[in-house]
C-alpha cells in the first residue's frame, strides 16, 4: 500500500486511457505538479516503482520512465538501492500550500494607458461566441477536408532543411519564398499585380489591422467603418484611438454617400468588398469607384479585408478592390485562417508603394516577423500546387454546404427564418421575424449547442436588421440539417411565447 500523506495524494492521480496524451506523460505532468505544489516534503521518499505501478494500474516500465524524466528535470533524485526521493533543493520540509493564497495578495488595479483605457470601454461587452466546429459557428473553415497528410509531409520536409535556415531569425518582412509564392497566387487568383517586396507576412489579418491602425492613425482621426462590420478589425482600429464612423451597408456594400454625409473628412476606410462581413453582399463596382474617389479627395487610406473572397461559388469572381485601384491608397489584407486554418495565425498585408518603406522599417525595428516554420510550410504548400488545388476543392465543399443550408432552411425554417443565399465565403445571414429578439434566439440556440450569431454583435451603431449570422463552411451537411431543426424549434418556441403577449394589449384596447 502507498502510505504517507504524499503517497495518498498519488492515489488521486487519474489516468485517462482514451486521451491522445501518452499515459507516461499524463503521470509525469501529475507528479511534477504535485511536487512543485508542495504535495511532498523536500527529501521525501516516493513509493517504490513496483508499488506505484500496482496502485495506479500501470506498468513498472512506465513508472521507471517517468521517474527518470523527473530525475532529468532535477525534481527527484534516485539513490541506487534506497529508492527515489523528492529533491532536497525544493525547499524546507514543511509542505507548501497547494495554491498561492490569493486573499493575502495585495490587489492593485492596473493603470492602463489612456488610449487602452478608452479602447477597453469602447470595445463593449459583446459576448464571445464559442469557436467550436458546430452548427452554425462562423469564421471556421472545413477542418474535416483538410489534406493533413500532405501538411505533415511538408512539415517534416521543412525540419530536415539546413539548420542555419530553419533555426535563426528569418526576414522580418516574412519569408521571401512565401512572399514570392503569394505574389504569384494573388496575380492568378485575385487579379492583383504586385511585387513580393510589397508583401508583409504577419500574425493573422488581425495583426495587420493593428499594425495599420497604430502606424497610420492618430487618436481622434475618423475612420469609416462598415456598420454592421467585422468585430476584430473594429477593435484593432478602436485600440489605435481612432474615431470610428459607422457607415451603413446595403445590398451594394458600403454606402459611400452616407459616409460623405456623416464625415466628409476621414483618414481611413475599412471595407470587406468581396463578401461583406457579416451581411454577405458583394460591393458593386460603382461603389468601389465611389469609395476610391472619396478616399482620394480626403487623402484617406482604404483597408480591403479579403478574408474569404477566394471561395466564390456564384458565377464570376468579383474583382478585388485592389485590382482596380489606381489611387495607390488601398492596403490589401489577406489571411490563411479560412483558406488553410486559423491556428496558423498567418496573414499578410499588401502595402501600396508609398507605404513599403514605412512597414519595412516597422517590421525590422521592433517586430521580428512570425514563425519561420509556419511560413516555410505554407510557402512549400503553395509552390507544390497544393494550395490552389485545396482552394478549388474547398469551393465545391462550401458550395455543397451552402446548398445544404438553403435546403435545410426550405424544409425546416420556412416562415421562421429567411436564410439568404450568398455568392461566396463561409457564412450567410437569416432574417428574423421582427417580433423576435436576435439576442434571445442566440441565447436559446446556444443552450442547445447551436451557435447563431446576432447581427447586433457586429454593429457599431444600431442597425435596422434583425438577423442571425450562420456559418456553414466548417459544418458538415448532417450537422447543418440537425442545427436547422434546433433553430426551428427555438424559433417556434419564441414565436409561441411572443404571440400571446402581442395579442394581450390589443384585447385591452378592444
Ligand atoms: C472579417 C474578417 N477578417 C479577417 C479574419 C481573419 O482574421 P485572422 O487572420 O486574424 O484569423 C476574420 C476571421 O474570422 C474575419 O471575420
Amino acid at each position: 500500500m502507498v502510505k504517507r500523506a504524499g503517497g495518498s495524494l498519488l492515489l488521486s492521480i487519474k489516468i485517462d486511457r482514451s486521451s491522445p496524451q501518452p499515459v507516461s506523460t499524463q503521470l509525469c505532468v501529475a507528479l511534477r505538479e504535485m511536487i512543485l505544489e508542495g504535495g511532498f516534503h523536500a527529501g521525501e521518499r516516493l513509493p517504490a516503482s513496483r508499488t506505484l505501478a500496482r496502485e495506479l494500474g500501470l506498468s513498472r516500465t512506465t513508472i521507471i520512465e517517468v521517474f527518470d524524466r523527473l530525475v532529468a528535470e532535477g525534481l527527484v533524485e534516485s539513490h541506487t538501492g534506497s529508492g527515489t526521493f523528492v529533491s532536497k533543493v525544493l525547499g524546507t520540509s514543511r509542505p507548501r500550500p497547494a495554491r498561492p493564497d490569493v486573499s493575502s495578495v495585495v490587489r492593485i488595479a492596473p493603470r492602463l494607458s489612456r488610449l487602452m483605457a478608452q479602447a477597453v470601454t469602447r470595445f463593449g461587452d459583446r459576448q464571445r461566441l464559442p469557436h467550436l466546429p458546430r452548427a452554425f459557428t462562423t469564421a471556421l473553415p472545413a477542418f474535416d477536408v483538410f489534406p493533413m497528410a500532405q501538411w505533415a509531409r511538408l512539415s517534416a520536409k521543412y525540419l530536415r532543411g539546413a539548420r542555419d535556415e530553419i533555426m535563426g531569425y528569418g526576414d522580418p518582412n516574412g519569408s521571401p519564398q512565401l512572399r514570392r509564392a503569394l505574389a504569384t497566387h494573388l496575380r492568378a487568383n485575385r487579379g492583383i499585380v504586385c511585387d513580393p517586396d510589397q508583401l508583409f507576412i504577419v500574425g493573422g489579418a488581425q495583426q495587420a489591422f493593428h499594425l495599420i491602425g497604430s502606424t497610420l492613425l492618430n487618436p481622434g482621426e475618423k475612420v469609416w467603418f462598415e456598420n454592421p462590420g467585422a468585430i476584430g478589425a473594429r477593435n484593432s482600429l478602436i485600440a489605435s484611438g481612432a474615431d470610428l464612423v459607422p457607415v451603413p451597408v446595403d445590398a451594394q456594400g458600403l454606402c459611400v454617400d452616407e459616409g460623405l454625409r456623416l464625415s466628409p473628412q476621414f483618414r481611413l476606410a475599412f471595407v470587406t468588398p468581396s463578401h461583406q462581413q457579416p451581411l454577405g453582399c458583394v460591393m458593386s463596382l460603382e461603389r468601389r469607384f465611389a469609395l476610391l474617389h472619396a478616399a482620394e479627395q480626403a487623402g484617406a487610406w482604404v483597408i480591403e479585408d479579403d478574408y474569404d473572397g477566394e471561395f466564390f461559388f456564384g458565377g464570376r469572381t468579383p474583382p478585388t478592390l485592389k485590382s482596380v485601384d489606381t489611387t495607390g491608397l488601398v492596403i490589401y489584407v489577406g489571411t490563411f485562417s479560412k483558406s488553410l486554418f486559423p491556428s496558423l495565425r498567418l496573414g499578410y498585408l499588401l502595402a501600396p508603394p508609398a507605404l513599403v518603406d514605412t512597414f519595412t522599417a516597422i517590421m525590422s525595428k521592433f517586430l521580428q516577423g512570425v514563425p519561420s516554420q509556419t511560413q516555410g510550410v505554407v510557402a512549400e504548400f503553395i509552390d507544390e500546387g497544393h494550395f490552389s488545388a485545396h482552394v478549388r476543392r474547398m469551393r465545391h465543399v462550401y458550395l455543397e454546404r451552402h446548398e445544404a443550408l438553403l435546403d435545410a432552411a426550405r424544409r425546416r425554417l420556412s416562415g421562421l427564418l429567411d436564410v439568404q443565399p450568398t455568392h461566396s465565403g463561409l457564412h450567410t445571414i437569416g432574417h428574423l421575424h421582427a417580433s423576435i429578439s436576435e439576442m434571445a434566439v442566440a441565447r436559446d440556440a446556444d443552450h442547445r449547442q447551436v451557435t447563431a450569431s446576432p447581427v447586433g454583435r457586429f454593429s457599431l451603431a444600431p442597425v435596422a436588421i434583425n438577423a442571425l449570422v450562420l456559418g456553414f463552411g466548417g459544418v458538415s451537411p448532417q450537422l447543418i440539417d440537425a442545427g436547422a431543426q434546433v433553430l426551428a424549434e427555438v424559433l417556434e418556441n419564441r414565436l409561441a411565447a411572443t404571440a400571446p403577449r402581442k395579442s394581450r394589449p390589443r384585447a385591452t384596447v378592444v
Side-chain angles (χ1 to χ4, degrees):
M1 269 291 284
V2 173
K3 290 192 200 89
R4 281 201 36 75
S8 60
L9 240 189
L10 289 172
L11 291 180
S12 65
I13 293 176
K14 295 271 176 294
I15 301 292
D16 177 2
R17 289 177 188 278
S18 63
S19 160
Q21 192 173 46
V23 165
S24 58
T25 307
Q26 293 183 48
L27 178 61
C28 193
V29 168
L31 274 174
R32 187 187 294 126
E33 255 174 35
M34 283 177 181
I35 293 170
L36 291 175
E37 289 185 350
F40 298 93
H41 301 289
E44 182 175 340
R45 185 174 187 277
L46 292 180
S49 56
R50 203 181 300 279
T51 317
L52 200 51
R54 194 176 52 244
E55 298 288 344
L56 295 176
L58 299 174
S59 79
R60 191 162 166 240
T61 323
T62 303
I63 307 290
I64 291 171
E65 182 198 326
V66 169
F67 279 0
D68 284 350
R69 280 204 230 169
L70 296 172
V71 168
E73 291 178 27
L75 294 177
V76 303
E77 292 159 10
S78 172
H79 300 301
T80 321
S82 47
T84 308
F85 299 83
V86 172
S87 172
K88 292 209 180 67
V89 298
L90 284 176
T92 66
S93 57
R94 264 182 310 116
R96 278 169 284 165
R99 297 267 171 227
D101 179 5
V102 283
S103 63
S104 65
V105 176
V106 180
R107 298 213 158 266
I108 302 172
R111 205 210 68 182
L112 300 188
S113 69
R114 261 193 295 279
L115 204 56
M116 198 45 81
Q118 261 172 24
V120 167
T121 341
R122 296 183 63 200
F123 288 159
D125 54 3
R126 286 173 190 83
Q127 177 207 1
R128 185 179 156 81
L129 295 178
H131 266 165
L132 301 170
R134 69 184 201 187
F136 294 101
T137 303
T138 57
L140 292 187
F143 295 157
D144 49 333
V145 238
F146 186 76
M148 200 50 95
Q150 268 160 3
W151 190 261
R153 182 179 62 75
L154 292 179
S155 302
K157 179 177 160 194
Y158 175 82
L159 290 174
R160 287 195 299 272
R163 290 193 180 202
D164 286 354
E165 275 171 33
I166 62 180
M167 294 179 78
Y169 284 104
D171 184 331
N173 292 359
S175 136
Q177 185 193 352
L178 178 57
R179 290 153 74 213
R180 256 194 326 272
L182 258 177
T184 310
H185 170 77
L186 290 175
R187 181 193 288 256
N189 292 282
R190 307 305 287 143
I192 295 172
V193 179
C194 70
D195 190 285
D197 286 348
Q198 290 175 260
L199 285 162
F200 296 85
I201 311 296
V202 288
Q206 195 60 43
Q207 193 185 38
F209 304 141
H210 187 79
L211 198 56
I212 295 167
S214 55
T215 306
L216 299 178
L217 295 171
N218 284 318
E221 282 181 334
K222 303 281 186 196
V223 170
W224 284 10
F225 202 86
E226 292 174 334
N227 188 45
I231 298 173
R234 177 181 68 203
N235 286 346
S236 281
L237 297 173
I238 285 177
S240 69
D243 184 6
L244 269 57
V245 179
V247 180
V249 175
D250 65 15
Q252 290 195 64
L254 185 91
C255 298
V256 177
D257 286 350
E258 247 332 86
L260 286 170
R261 193 186 66 73
L262 292 165
S263 181
Q265 291 309 315
F266 61 107
R267 187 76 185 114
L268 187 132
F270 174 91
V271 282
T272 45
S274 297
H275 187 229
Q276 204 273 333
Q277 171 76 319
L279 301 181
C281 47
V282 178
M283 192 178 196
S284 68
L285 260 188
E286 192 186 327
R287 288 282 173 81
R288 291 172 193 231
F289 287 119
L291 174 61
L292 292 175
H293 182 67
E296 208 167 18
Q297 296 296 306
W301 301 106
V302 177
I303 297 180
E304 174 179 25
D305 177 12
D306 193 23
Y307 63 108
D308 68 2
E310 322 236 8
F311 302 112
F312 54 92
F313 29 80
R316 283 199 313 134
T317 339
T320 53
L321 182 63
K322 184 74 198 166
S323 67
V324 296
D325 173 32
T326 51
T327 64
L329 293 169
V330 176
I331 308 169
Y332 176 90
V333 174
T335 177
F336 288 105
S337 289
K338 320 287 164 189
S339 50
L340 293 176
F341 49 94
S343 67
L344 288 173
R345 306 310 308 129
L346 205 62
Y348 45 96
L349 175 163
L350 166 49
L355 288 175
V356 170
D357 288 349
T358 305
F359 284 117
T360 301
I362 286 170
M363 299 300 274
S364 66
K365 299 276 187 264
F366 66 93
L367 297 174
Q368 277 298 329
V370 290
S372 304
Q373 180 172 352
T374 316
Q375 298 185 63
V377 178
V378 173
E380 206 58 21
F381 196 75
I382 300 177
D383 281 348
E384 284 197 6
H386 305 305
F387 185 64
S388 54
H390 179 60
V391 169
R392 263 202 318 278
R393 177 159 179 236
M394 296 318 289
R395 273 184 207 131
H396 291 288
V397 170
Y398 295 141
L399 169 65
E400 265 169 35
R401 294 183 178 194
H402 174 251
E403 282 176 358
L405 175 61
L406 294 182
D407 176 53
R410 265 189 302 273
R411 286 182 290 106
R412 303 194 184 280
L413 291 161
S414 168
L416 295 168
L417 188 69
D418 184 12
V419 178
Q420 298 295 303
T422 186
H423 300 277
S424 62
L426 318 184
H427 71 264
T428 187
I429 60 162
H431 291 282
L432 284 164
H433 205 274
S435 64
I436 295 189
S437 144
E438 49 177 39
M439 297 288 178
V441 175
R443 236 185 351 261
D444 294 354
D446 185 51
H447 287 148
R448 299 195 50 192
Q449 316 308 316
V450 165
T451 301
S453 188
V455 164
R457 290 184 66 245
F458 298 80
S459 309
L460 198 53
V463 288
I465 301 171
N466 193 34
L468 301 171
V469 185
L470 304 171
F472 54 80
V475 192
S476 69
Q478 293 80 354
L479 276 182
I480 287 177
D481 194 53
Q485 180 57 32
V486 170
L487 269 190
E489 288 162 20
V490 163
L491 289 166
E492 268 159 9
N493 289 341
R494 277 276 149 198
L495 272 178
T498 52
R501 269 208 296 280
K502 268 178 65 196
S503 59
R504 249 182 257 129
R506 259 189 247 125
T508 321
V509 172
V510 169

